[in-house]
Amino acid sequence: MKRSHIAAGAGLSVLLGLAAATAGYAALRLHRSTRLARRAHPFERQAEPEGARLLVVGDSTAGGAGASDPIHSLPGLLSRANPSLTVVNKSQPGARFADILEQLDGDERFDAVLVLGGTHDVLGTTRDAALRDLVQRVAQRARVRAQVVVFMPPGNLGNLRVFLPPWSWWMSYRARRLQAIVAEVARANGAQHVALFMAREDDPFARHPRRLSSRDGLHPSDAGYELWQRELETQAQLSARLRKIGRSAAVRGPVI
């Protein structure tokens, strides 16, 4: 056997061993993340009848996993910024877009729908064509429930401490594809897309992982959710729109 073939075989063995080891590490961290997500309590609040009404759907990030208290989750922070806001939260840990579609069942009207999901489609085996179809159906059903629809998929999962090469490269690729699909579908359906995907050198979660990520390394911490809120307000101006809706409802007064 030629030396080049022997060297190639040895190199492949090393790569396969590295892939197996890092896969085991990621699996352990994801198991811990699942336990953390199950302990989270999604933030909800019934406020003034004349205030704006927000429906939140999605996975454990919509449920505030990683936050020290539900009020520090993204829906909780939106509530603090909008005291008259009613928040209904249908999120479930582990939800994919197929599950989010079911969370949107019903005919009750809202002023806005916030879709926080996609992580488990990236982690799983949802193919691009199927994912695009599911996101499209979520967008259409959300528009039936509210005039304002905002998609906020996860950022660059490959930058998180949970994943090491080569899996971090695959997670980055999958997360980038998700962002592109959501952005395309949102534009086509009159919804908004908040882009969190960044290259490692630009990503605050990669530069400050201990401050912005919770102890499981996957979900945001209180500070991480605050950063998400700033991006949400910068890119979609959701609080400003909800306050405007609330003021308009207050001027109209209660329906008799």
Side-chain angles (χ1 to χ4, degrees):
M1 184 179 293
K2 294 182 179 180
R3 290 184 178 180
S4 60
H5 292 169
I6 295 174
L12 179 60
S13 297
V14 170
L15 287 175
L16 290 175
L18 176 63
T22 55
Y25 173 79
L28 178 61
R29 297 295 296 268
L30 290 173
H31 177 68
R32 293 174 179 172
S33 176
T34 298
R35 288 188 297 175
L36 179 70
R38 288 174 178 167
R39 291 198 297 268
H41 299 286
F43 178 88
E44 293 191 287
R45 185 181 70 174
Q46 181 67 44
E48 289 84 347
E50 68 273 11
R53 305 181 73 249
L54 173 67
L55 174 62
V56 179
V57 294
D59 56 26
S60 55
T61 57
S68 62
D69 186 89
I71 195 64
H72 297 298
S73 68
L74 188 55
L77 294 171
L78 286 169
S79 173
R80 290 170 62 182
N82 302 272
S84 63
L85 179 66
T86 288
V87 178
V88 176
N89 197 326
K90 298 293 186 180
S91 65
Q92 290 290 333
R96 300 188 184 191
F97 271 102
D99 306 302
I100 294 172
L101 189 61
E102 294 182 3
Q103 294 171 15
L104 287 164
D105 283 344
D107 49 18
E108 183 181 4
R109 289 284 298 175
F110 291 84
D111 296 299
V113 173
L114 177 60
V115 183
L116 285 164
T119 295
H120 294 276
D121 291 283
V122 170
L123 297 177
T125 57
T126 310
R127 295 182 179 273
D128 282 5
L131 182 57
R132 181 177 284 103
D133 178 67
L134 285 167
V135 176
Q136 171 83 11
R137 292 166 66 190
V138 166
Q140 292 172 344
R141 189 169 296 182
R143 285 300 303 272
V144 172
R145 305 297 301 275
Q147 183 66 29
V148 176
V149 177
V150 180
F151 282 88
M152 196 168 180
N156 190 342
L157 297 179
N159 291 343
L160 299 180
R161 291 178 292 165
V162 173
F163 303 108
L164 300 173
W167 301 110
S168 59
W169 307 333
W170 177 243
M171 288 297 105
S172 291
Y173 169 77
R174 293 275 292 166
R176 187 188 297 275
R177 291 297 305 140
L178 171 67
Q179 292 286 333
I181 289 170
V182 172
E184 176 189 332
V185 171
R187 284 195 302 269
N189 289 273
Q192 289 183 277
H193 165 232
V194 176
L196 297 175
F197 188 97
M198 298 180 189
R200 179 174 294 275
E201 59 269 20
D202 300 320
D203 191 344
F205 282 87
R207 298 201 309 268
H208 310 287
R210 296 189 181 279
R211 183 169 66 87
L212 296 178
S213 297
S214 64
R215 64 181 181 273
D216 71 345
L218 181 65
H219 295 94
S221 63
D222 290 357
Y225 282 118
E226 289 174 3
L227 187 150
W228 277 19
Q229 186 198 21
R230 290 195 293 273
E231 289 297 327
L232 177 61
E233 305 302 6
T234 298
Q235 298 186 42
Q237 297 83 46
L238 183 57
S239 284
R241 300 175 75 176
L242 290 170
R243 284 193 291 269
K244 183 177 180 180
I245 291 169
R247 287 194 298 269
S248 297
V251 170
R252 291 194 303 270
V255 178
I256 301 176

